[in-house]
Amino acid sequence: MSIKYPSLTQFRRIVVKVGSSLLVDAATGLRREWLNALAHDLASLHKSGADILVVSSGAIALGRSVLKYPAGSLKLEEAQAAAAVGQIELARIWAEVLGAKGIIAGQILLTYGDTEERRRYLNARETLGKLLELRAIPIINENDTVATSEIRYGDNDRLAARVASMASADCLVLLSDIDGLYSAPPASDPDAKLIPLVPRITAEIEAVAGGAASELSRGGMRTKVEAAKIAVSAGVHMVIANGKRSNPVKHVIEGGPCTWFLTPSNPVTARKRWIGGTLEPKGILTIDRGAATALQKGNSLLPAGVTHSEGDFLRGDVVILRDYKGAELGRGLIAYDAQDTVQILGRKTQDIATILGYQGRNNLIHRDDLVLIGD
Ligand code: GLU
């Protein structure tokens, strides 16, 4: 059976991760010409209708050149100071190169907790969603200045995979300084062959990725395979390609060397599986007939349709939905804490702000966060 390679142009939402060593040359600084060419590639995908998100490293690399830190490793606080200085530069450069193509850039800085903890996850996801709806390109990096060792990703490969999952992207492109995954380290083994397609991440593939980093930047092949695991289990295809050449994304589209990791799933199914199966429900909402019919038609759950709330859940927790007879209808991620839910249930959406004293979300459960039985 021959497996078909995906084509980058078939995807509707693509995350592109750009490593520090691609953006910044240790001796000469920012690689502007290269970046302009990449912006050109991204703009043409964007123009053809795809949503684009960029996970960009380079804050520390840019900052250390501004601060004139000598080569070599930095202490944590030095790296954080460099990131503080460099991130301003990085965001400005991206805004400039995308602006030249008529595209608006928006900066998002995330820590590990923002992508793992469900309350914060919902907020970050809503912001990303809004930016994409506005046709802007979010430029995302780890919030290096506040992240301590326990709460950091430390590498943007895994961060990019989490972002892809969070944004329900269907493709993740990791631009690296190597063509893809090789059967052995290409620098030391002349027989090393590029593996063009990984249909499934096996123990053998993990062994091939080994521990050795091929790059100047943090993430070696190991973190790329870790990222692939996160991506494929979230229904995201991933491709590793060499970013060192000019127009690297165009090169992938034209069939240049790269390694594809395929997902057997898609973002919607993977997300529904996550909500429906892997998260423990923390509460129960009883909803009226009108709301049940509205949900079947693909609408979100509004407070007005809820007759009863049980359990001590927090915003972002999973709750079970039941009909008035007690039969389970489905599950979803709730946008309000239990305390607030009790106050707004049965009430009109436009009254939420007056009742709670703050303007929350219109929906109690957004339809994207809802899995109905039989879905
Ligand atoms: N967040 C770091 C930076 O912007 C880079 C991490 C990485 O390259 O994986 O410098």
Side-chain angles (χ1 to χ4, degrees), residues 193-217:
K193 287 199 179 53
L194 182 72
I195 304 171
L197 195 69
V198 179
R200 213 162 55 82
I201 303 171
T202 56
E204 218 180 327
I205 289 294
E206 296 207 49
V208 161
S214 62
E215 291 176 289
L216 293 171
S217 52

Side-chain angles (χ1 to χ4, degrees), residues 241-362:
N242 198 332
K244 280 282 180 193
R245 57 170 57 91
S246 188
N247 298 99
V249 171
K250 183 161 158 262
H251 207 73
V252 174
I253 295 173
E254 288 169 353
C258 58
T259 301
W260 280 98
F261 292 80
L262 302 186
T263 176
S265 181
N266 68 56
V268 177
T269 325
R271 194 171 162 71
K272 295 209 173 210
R273 203 182 316 122
W274 178 64
I275 294 172
T278 53
L279 304 174
E280 190 200 333
K282 293 280 164 49
I284 301 169
L285 298 184
T286 308
I287 67 173
D288 64 21
R289 273 192 220 206
T293 313
L295 297 189
Q296 294 297 347
K297 287 188 185 149
N299 293 311
S300 299
L301 179 67
L302 300 174
V306 179
T307 54
H308 185 71
S309 165
E310 225 178 288
D312 189 19
F313 49 83
L314 294 173
R315 172 175 151 71
D317 279 341
V318 170
V319 295
I320 294 177
L321 300 182
R322 287 198 178 152
D323 69 11
Y324 69 102
K325 290 188 200 147
E328 180 169 338
L329 299 171
R331 295 171 180 214
L333 298 184
I334 190 151
Y336 287 90
D337 294 346
Q339 272 181 340
D340 290 351
T341 303
V342 171
Q343 292 193 61
I344 59 177
L345 61 82
R347 307 290 294 267
K348 292 204 183 73
T349 297
Q350 59 264 39
D351 296 340
I352 296 178
T354 326
I355 301 167
L356 298 180
Y358 68 88
Q359 184 64 56
R361 310 276 176 210
N362 287 347

